[in-house]
Amino acid sequence: MELSTASDVLTVHGGTALSGEVRVRGAKNLVPKAMVAALLGHGTSVLHNVPQISDVRIVTGLLEAHGVSVTRGAPGADGEPSDTLILDPASVEQASDTAVEAHAGTSRIPVLFCGPLLHRLGRAFIPDLGGCKIGDRPIDFHLDALRAFGAVVEKRPEGLLISAPERLRGTQIRLPYPSVGATEQVLLTAVLAEGVTELSNAATEPEIVDLIAVLQKMGAIISVHNGRVIRIIGVDQLGGFTHRAIPDRLETASWACAALATGGDIRVIGAAQGEMMTFLNVFRRIGGDFEVDDTPGEPSIRFWHSGGQMRALALETDVYPGLSTDWQQPLVVALTQAHGLSIIHETVYEQRLGFTDALNRMGAQIQLYRECLGGSACRFGQRNFMHSAVISGPTKLHGAELTIPDLRAGFSYLIAALAAQGTSTVHGISLIRRGYEDFEAKLSALGADVELGLGA
Ligand code: EPZ
């Protein structure tokens, strides 16, 4: 195992019920895409509620490499850094491929630069993509869509070169699966394409709807119809936007699962009920409780363990409005404390249950299966993917040495370590910084006994 640097390790002394307040800001799965959208505009854009996470820093670097000026608003009176970004695309220019490559392997966002760069510069270079190792994660839907608009895709040893010999034309696209990324690709390309684009079997996640709101503010014409159909009438020019990003429903659910698994009580400031209905139902069915406060400007949701026995459940992840796959891993940790047999059927990613090995080393009892358990047959059934799990609980967890494989598994390991007796050493916490702002300070504020580095 590669030796981690002190700043990449967190020592967690478990056994404390977390309680208090944390703040969540804009959605990690919307903010970087809104930043990319600014490239499409002939005018300055202002984005509010931007979290300090490394995915934002990666996109800032890529935008600056393409000549976009990205600045943060003035710090607050308390010296708090502003959560506002000002994006000015006045002098967009071709970035050198090396400058783009510098960001290779760090995230999947670079693929979404295609549409805006093709419209602005007629050329886009996409380095090898990164992102969480939770499945094969191909981009075939993205490339097929770009070709349908008239783009030319050339595979190069160092990445993909995409060019638009002429203005891109509106077209008909049916996605084989309601992919979030491919839907965003089509939106960010169709808005300035000539004519009408009809996208069917589209993703409709709240982050997609919020991106549509951003594009509409820029001057785009986009309508969402029943049955996952989105129609876009291309326009000749777009302006800038001023937008407040929707709150991060994925981070919110992670803190809720931390309250449940540690027997605690956490108020998540900035959280909104609207995008979390499915999660809130599951949270209550397991044995948690919550209270929504819709105070305008300062909404919040308080999550707590109701004190009774937690109940085992059969859960199946799905595209929105189903149970988000990004809620699955924190819920699995909470379900190790539920009484009875829980079943998880992961239908969005074929390799998102591998993280349970480490939980079993902590004392959990989780068995993985290739079959589609507890729900309808999915794309991964009959294939060689361990994409279902049976969790028998409750089991006492104890501390362990943990290495983080991906973002959500990372935060789930923190929850398990906090719910466990004894001390855990968690390696690779920089992965968590990709999507959770300031989480170490938030954990300490909730009473967690954690310290950076390998501890005393
Ligand atoms: C987005 O990823 C999110 N990431 C993911 O969140 C989230 O899990 C996912 O949507 C599903 O909701 C960001 O927004 C940055 P997809 P994305 O395209 O766009 C297959 C987190 O933890 N597919 O909807 O990459 C793919 O392999 C992250 O916050 C193709 O086969 O997801 C997967 O099985 C993890 N070909 C399924 O579709 C394609 O061209 C869903 O992927 C594209 C996708």
Side-chain angles (χ1 to χ4, degrees):
M1 178 175 61
E2 195 191 315
L3 209 52
S4 321
T5 58
S7 67
D8 205 23
V9 181
L10 197 70
T11 297
V12 180
H13 307 287
T16 314
L18 300 186
S19 73
E21 295 183 347
V22 292
R23 176 179 293 284
V24 295
R25 294 190 204 279
K28 163 211 168 259
N29 291 348
L30 175 270
V31 167
K33 287 75 176 286
M35 293 170 68
V36 173
L39 251 179
L40 288 161
H42 287 267
T44 300
S45 291
V46 178
L47 186 57
H48 298 293
N49 207 18
V50 175
Q52 303 251 3
I53 55 174
S54 47
D55 271 17
V56 168
R57 282 190 288 282
I58 291 166
V59 177
T60 299
L62 277 163
L63 286 170
E64 287 171 341
H66 287 93
V68 178
S69 123
V70 182
T71 48
R72 255 194 199 262
D78 54 4
E80 271 286 294
S82 159
D83 66 1
T84 295
L85 280 186
I86 298 115
L87 305 116
D88 181 358
S91 22
V92 168
E93 62 191 14
Q94 194 60 59
S96 70
D97 292 357
T98 5
V100 175
E101 248 178 83
H103 299 279
T106 54
S107 134
R108 299 181 63 73
I109 304 287
V111 72
L112 294 179
F113 275 68
C114 291
L117 289 178
L118 289 173
H119 286 305
R120 297 294 302 253
L121 305 167
R123 174 189 189 279
F125 170 70
I126 308 299
D128 292 342
L129 297 175
C132 293
K133 303 282 175 283
I134 49 182
D136 184 14
R137 306 190 78 179
I139 54 167
D140 49 336
F141 306 166
H142 296 249
L143 301 181
D144 292 347
L146 289 165
R147 289 189 190 97
F149 282 108
V152 177
V153 178
E154 231 179 292
K155 285 204 183 329
R156 294 271 180 95
E158 64 284 6
L160 291 169
L161 179 63
I162 307 186
S163 54
E166 291 148 24
R167 181 175 175 189
L168 300 175
R169 293 176 311 282
T171 180
Q172 294 238 331
I173 296 168
R174 178 173 178 77
L175 293 177
Y177 180 83
S179 148
V180 167
T183 300
E184 293 160 340
Q185 184 75 258
V186 172
L187 288 169
L188 290 165
T189 308
V191 283
L192 285 175
E194 193 170 1
V196 179
T197 296
E198 180 176 288
L199 173 64
S200 50
N201 205 24
T204 56
E205 270 65 7
E207 294 78 16
I208 295 277
V209 175
D210 210 36
L211 180 62
I212 291 174
V214 165
L215 293 166
Q216 206 174 44
K217 284 176 176 174
M218 299 175 83
I221 304 171
I222 308 174
S223 51
V224 181
H225 304 265
N226 290 339
R228 295 186 174 284
V229 172
I230 302 178
R231 248 182 234 106
I232 306 109
I233 303 175
V235 296
D236 295 337
Q237 181 146 318
L238 294 169
F241 63 77
T242 297
H243 186 73
R244 181 176 178 76
I246 53 167
D248 196 316
R249 63 193 174 108
L250 309 176
E251 182 182 353
T252 301
S254 300
W255 289 112
C257 290
L260 199 52
T262 64
D265 184 329
I266 301 175
R267 178 177 293 284
V268 182
I269 298 170
Q273 182 182 18
E275 292 90 24
M276 298 201 65
M277 302 283 198
T278 307
F279 176 81
L280 295 174
N281 292 335
V282 168
F283 188 79
R284 189 164 271 158
R285 288 171 55 209
I286 294 180
D289 219 333
F290 63 86
E291 169 197 83
V292 175
D293 173 347
D294 292 328
T295 310
E298 190 71 341
S300 69
I301 306 180
R302 181 180 150 227
F303 298 94
W304 67 95
H305 186 297
S306 61
Q309 275 200 346
M310 286 165 62
R311 293 179 290 274
L313 285 185
L315 297 175
E316 179 171 86
T317 65
D318 202 352
V319 295
Y320 190 84
L323 185 78
S324 167
T325 172
D326 308 316
W327 291 332
Q328 178 255 96
Q329 291 151 303
L331 280 169
V332 163
V333 175
L335 286 168
T336 62
Q337 304 308 300
H339 289 251
L341 288 183
S342 296
I343 295 176
I344 302 287
H345 182 207
E346 171 57 62
T347 75
V348 180
Y349 289 107
E350 65 273 26
Q351 282 151 3
R352 201 167 201 177
L353 288 168
F355 81 110
T356 56
D357 288 357
L359 298 180
N360 284 339
R361 272 194 298 111
M362 298 177 80
Q365 283 174 22
I366 305 174
Q367 189 73 38
L368 299 187
Y369 295 84
R370 288 186 184 77
E371 292 72 17
C372 299
L373 296 185
S376 42
C378 81
R379 294 168 300 152
F380 309 133
Q382 313 311 326
R383 293 167 62 196
N384 203 12
F385 298 120
M386 304 299 262
H387 70 293
S388 292
V390 174
I391 307 165
S392 46
T395 48
K396 281 210 170 325
L397 301 180
H398 53 77
E401 184 110 17
L402 303 164
T403 301
I404 292 174
D406 63 74
L407 170 67
R408 306 294 167 194
F411 197 88
S412 309
Y413 283 174
L414 295 182
I415 300 174
L418 289 158
Q421 293 309 313
T423 299
S424 299
T425 313
V426 187
H427 297 263
I429 58 168
S430 52
L431 261 173
I432 303 177
R433 295 199 181 101
R434 284 200 37 223
Y436 295 84
E437 176 184 63
D438 226 4
F439 68 93
E440 302 102 314
K442 288 177 181 171
L443 285 172
S444 303
L446 293 170
D449 183 356
V450 294
E451 51 193 309
L452 262 185
L454 287 167

